[in-house]
Amino acid sequence: MKVRGKAQRTIWTGSDGVSAGIIDQTSLPHGFEVVRLASAGAAAAAIRTMKVRGAPLIGATAAYGLWLALRTDPSDEGLRAAGRELMATRPTAVNLRWAVQRAQTELGQVGPAARAEAALALAERICDEDVAINTAIGQSGLPLLRALAEKGKRRVNILTHCNAGWLATVDVGTATAPIYAAHDGGIPVHVWVDETRPRNQGASLTAWELKNHGVPHTVISDNAGGHLMQHGEVDIVIVGTDRTTATGDVCNKIGTYLKALAAYDNGVPFYAAVPSPSIDWSLRDGVREIPIENRSEKEVTHIAGRLEGGLVAEVLLTPEGSAAANPAFDVTPARLVTGLITERGVAEASETGLRGLFAER
C-alpha cells in the first residue's frame, strides 16, 4: 500500500543489513515514525508495546527478532532463548507461535555458522508469503462485494472492526484486502469504521490507511453498528482474526462478538478474513480454549489525542481511582459466522468447511 504516494510495508530489512525497520503504530494517525530494531529484545518490546500489532505482523516481527538474536548468539540455546523471549510477549495471536516454531524447526537444521543468514532469508520469506496470502484473500472476497454491488445497484456499505488492514499485516491487509480490491476495481464501496475502544485502532489506524488509499469511509462509535444494521445501512461485516479454531470459532478484537450478534439478528452477512497461519488446528472450542490477553487498565481509563495546537496529549477519562477491566479479545462462535475468507477461497465456518480447503491439515 502507499503512504503519501510512496509504496510502504510495515516491516523491512534495514538498509544497514543488521537491523529491521518498522512503522511505530503508536505514533499514528497524528505522526509517522519509523523505528529501528537492532536486537531480539527490541523486537519483543515492539510487540509488547504495540508498536507493531495485528496477528500476521506480530509473526513477521518475531521472525525478524530471531534473526537479530542469532546474529549475536547462533547456538541452539540462543535460538531457544530468543524463542522464549518472543513467545512471552502476547498470548492470543497464534501467528506468533506459528512463526517462532516454524523458524526453530527450519533453523535447527542449519549449522550455527550459517544460521543468522538463514534466519534473515526466512524472515523475508515469511513477509513475502504474508503479502501473497493477503492478496489472495482479497481476490477470494472480491466476488462477495461485487455481488452485493450488482444486487443493490449502489455503493456497498461494509462495516469492519479494529484494524485488520495493511497495518496489521506486512502489506495489503486481511479484512481490508477485498475492500481495496473492490475499490481499485471500480466497485463503489464505503466503510463504516468502528472506533474500536479502548485503543481506538479503527479510528486511528483503519481510518488513516483508508484515507491514504482514497477509500470512502466514516468513523463510528463502537455502539452504532447495530443501529446502522437495523436501518439497512450495512450490507456486509468483514473482520479479521487473531486466532481461528479448526471448527470455525473466530477470536478477534474485543467487541467483535457483539457485532456478530447484531449482524445475525438483522440478517447481515458476517465474514472473517482468515489467513491460514492464523488457524489453530489444535483447538476446537474457542470460548474455552483460546487464551485472552488482559491488558493494562490505563488503556481504558486514559485516551490520547491531538490538541488544537498540534500537541498530542493523554488525558484521564474516568474518575480517579476507578478500577477498569481490559480484556483485549473475544470469541465469536462459528454459528454466527457466515463464512471464512481465506487465501484458498471462502469456507463455511466449520471443521468441514475449513478442511475442505486445507485437506492437508
Side-chain angles (χ1 to χ4, degrees):
M1 309 307 292
K2 293 185 177 180
V3 177
R4 304 187 187 101
K6 179 182 177 183
Q8 180 75 57
R9 285 188 173 187
T10 54
I11 190 167
W12 58 92
T13 305
S15 58
D16 57 10
V18 296
S19 67
I22 61 167
I23 299 171
D24 180 357
Q25 297 193 29
T26 63
S27 70
L28 296 170
H30 305 303
F32 183 84
E33 298 179 10
V34 169
V35 173
R36 176 175 173 266
L37 305 179
S39 68
I47 296 170
R48 189 177 301 108
T49 60
M50 298 186 74
K51 285 182 168 58
V52 295
R53 26 71 52 204
L57 180 55
I58 288 172
T61 304
Y64 267 106
L66 287 171
W67 164 57
L68 294 169
L70 294 173
R71 292 191 69 256
T72 302
D73 181 3
S75 68
D76 290 346
E77 178 52 34
L79 179 59
R80 288 191 292 267
R84 288 193 296 269
E85 180 179 20
L86 290 160
M87 287 278 284
T89 54
R90 299 192 66 192
T92 301
V94 74
N95 298 63
L96 174 60
R97 185 187 70 192
W98 167 83
V100 170
Q101 290 181 344
R102 174 179 173 180
Q104 288 178 328
T105 298
E106 293 189 21
L107 298 176
Q109 301 173 22
V110 178
R115 196 167 275 168
E117 182 180 356
L120 175 57
L122 176 59
E124 292 177 336
R125 188 162 67 251
I126 285 174
C127 287
D128 290 341
E129 289 173 0
D130 180 69
V131 176
I133 286 172
N134 298 335
T135 301
I137 286 174
Q139 292 305 305
S140 294
L142 178 59
L144 300 174
L145 301 184
R146 182 180 291 119
L148 287 169
E150 292 174 351
K151 177 181 178 181
K153 302 299 181 183
R154 57 174 175 78
R155 77 179 188 183
V156 180
N157 286 306
I158 306 145
L159 186 144
T160 191
H161 189 70
C162 193
N163 173 258
W166 71 266
L167 288 169
T169 67
V170 177
D171 205 349
V172 183
T174 57
T176 58
I179 297 171
Y180 287 130
H183 172 77
D184 293 348
I187 297 173
V189 296
H190 167 263
V191 185
W192 295 111
V193 181
D194 276 358
E195 60 183 347
T196 320
R197 284 282 293 150
R199 291 190 63 90
N200 298 301
Q201 291 150 308
S204 62
L205 302 179
T206 303
W208 181 83
E209 64 171 79
L210 291 173
K211 180 181 178 181
N212 269 278
H213 201 73
V215 178
H217 64 281
T218 304
V219 178
I220 59 173
S221 68
D222 282 355
N223 292 329
H227 167 78
L228 293 170
M229 292 183 208
Q230 285 179 326
H231 290 271
E233 294 296 323
V234 178
D235 298 304
I236 187 171
V237 180
I238 307 178
V239 301
T241 182
D242 284 79
R243 189 184 300 219
T244 295
T245 68
T247 55
D249 295 339
V250 174
C251 181
N252 193 50
K253 185 58 61 180
I254 194 75
T256 303
Y257 173 48
L258 295 179
K259 292 300 183 297
L261 286 171
Y264 185 83
D265 191 52
N266 287 280
V268 175
F270 180 97
Y271 287 88
V274 181
S276 56
S278 296
I279 303 171
D280 190 337
W281 297 97
S282 70
L283 301 186
R284 303 186 61 80
D285 188 332
V287 174
R288 291 175 175 80
E289 294 180 307
I290 294 177
I292 300 299
E293 177 183 6
N294 285 287
R295 295 187 58 81
S296 167
E297 65 178 32
K298 189 175 182 181
E299 293 181 350
V300 176
T301 60
H302 291 67
I303 196 168
R306 188 174 67 184
L307 305 179
E308 286 188 8
L311 178 69
V312 176
E314 186 177 72
V315 298
L316 177 67
L317 288 171
T318 59
E320 190 168 355
S322 289
N326 188 14
F329 302 90
D330 59 25
V331 175
T332 299
R335 63 183 175 82
L336 299 176
V337 180
T338 307
L340 306 173
I341 308 172
T342 80
E343 68 268 27
R344 296 187 185 180
V346 179
E348 176 187 89
S350 68
E351 184 168 14
T352 299
L354 280 171
R355 294 194 186 277
L357 292 182
F358 299 94
E360 73 276 13
R361 303 307 300 255

